[in-house]
Amino acid sequence: ATSLTLVAGAQAQSSSPAAKSSDTAYDQVSSYIGLNAGQSDFKLSNGTGLFGSDNHTDAFSIYAGTYINRNFGFEFGYIDFGKVNRGGGSTKADGVSLSLIGKLPLGSSFNLLGKLGTTYGRTEVTSAAGSGITAGNDNGFSWSYGVGAEYSFTPQFSVVLQYDEHYLPFVETGRERVRAAGLGLRFGF
């Protein structure tokens, strides 16, 4: 009986309003991993137009981040922008990014997100003769940014809608914008 009384008293104390944090459930989670899938958009020239081309393809990213306080933190990730047919050949890109991240809570479960950082991108372009598109590989650092929204179902699981722009190196033109929009899941810990 004494044990039951002590356990009940401890449980009542931990569930009292004074013992609860004023932060939302999401704020109690400081680190996360995530996976997004969506579509990329290559904003590149189509050359002479003699060959068929497309600018959109499937893209995915995997990332991990941590908040240093309620609103700011860091994120590291890998993104595969996919491969598009262009100029009688193909263009593909991927990269590794490091970003400063920000979070603006708009309720107990909904957050607006933003990030600004750098991406080390790699690109590979193949093309047919007469396409007007220079073939070759390139890599290097450039800047990137993104915006998004997050809805938390539980303190550990949330869904994220995200839009990012990365400026990647291409042998034919220098730095060019590649966009990625996707929907994903995050697991917080």
Side-chain angles (χ1 to χ4, degrees), residues 30-32 64-68 72-76 98-102:
S30 63
S31 297
Y32 59 87
T66 189
Y67 286 98
I68 55 175
F72 297 101
F74 299 95
E75 185 177 282
F76 177 76
L98 178 62
S99 302
L100 297 171
I101 55 174

Side-chain angles (χ1 to χ4, degrees), residues 26 32 36 63 65-67 69-76 97-106 110-118 144-150 160-166 186:
Y26 184 80
Y32 59 87
N36 289 3
Y63 53 91
T66 189
Y67 286 98
N69 63 32
R70 179 183 166 109
N71 299 103
F72 297 101
F74 299 95
E75 185 177 282
F76 177 76
S97 64
L98 178 62
S99 302
L100 297 171
I101 55 174
K103 174 180 65 168
L104 176 63
L106 295 180
F110 186 74
N111 300 300
L112 293 180
L113 307 171
K115 64 182 175 179
L116 177 64
T118 186
S144 60
Y145 66 91
V147 295
E150 174 185 40
V160 177
L161 179 64
Q162 199 161 322
Y163 171 85
D164 297 329
E165 288 193 0
H166 301 261
R186 281 188 182 179

Side-chain angles (χ1 to χ4, degrees), residues 5 13-14 19 21 56 63 67 74 83 91-93 104 107 116 137 152 155 158 167:
T5 303
Q13 183 180 10
S14 68
S21 170
H56 305 283
Y63 53 91
Y67 286 98
F74 299 95
K83 178 169 68 170
T91 298
K92 65 180 181 178
L104 176 63
L116 177 64
N137 300 337
S152 300
S158 61
Y167 290 81

Side-chain angles (χ1 to χ4, degrees), residues 1-177:
T2 304
S3 295
L4 287 175
T5 303
L6 289 174
V7 169
Q11 187 175 15
Q13 183 180 10
S14 68
S15 64
S16 70
K20 290 186 178 179
S21 170
S22 63
D23 293 339
T24 64
Y26 184 80
D27 291 329
Q28 297 169 10
V29 176
S30 63
S31 297
Y32 59 87
I33 58 173
L35 176 66
N36 289 3
Q39 191 172 60
S40 63
D41 181 16
F42 288 74
K43 290 296 182 190
L44 300 169
S45 163
N46 290 329
T48 61
L50 298 175
F51 300 91
S53 65
D54 53 37
N55 293 335
H56 305 283
T57 189
D58 295 333
F60 75 90
S61 63
I62 186 165
Y63 53 91
T66 189
Y67 286 98
I68 55 175
N69 63 32
R70 179 183 166 109
N71 299 103
F72 297 101
F74 299 95
E75 185 177 282
F76 177 76
Y78 168 78
I79 185 164
D80 185 341
F81 297 98
K83 178 169 68 170
V84 293
N85 297 320
R86 186 171 152 255
S90 64
T91 298
K92 65 180 181 178
D94 67 348
V96 177
S97 64
L98 178 62
S99 302
L100 297 171
I101 55 174
K103 174 180 65 168
L104 176 63
L106 295 180
S108 62
S109 298
F110 186 74
N111 300 300
L112 293 180
L113 307 171
K115 64 182 175 179
L116 177 64
T118 186
T119 299
Y120 179 80
R122 298 179 303 179
T123 61
E124 181 181 321
V125 178
T126 61
S127 62
S131 67
I133 295 174
T134 305
N137 300 337
D138 205 350
N139 57 61
F141 284 96
S142 194
W143 65 287
S144 60
Y145 66 91
V147 295
E150 174 185 40
Y151 182 80
S152 300
F153 294 104
T154 70
Q156 285 78 33
F157 290 101
S158 61
V159 64
V160 177
L161 179 64
Q162 199 161 322
Y163 171 85
D164 297 329
E165 288 193 0
H166 301 261
Y167 290 81
L168 303 179
F170 287 88
V171 70
E172 59 192 286
T173 59
R175 301 272 185 264
E176 295 290 341
R177 179 177 61 196

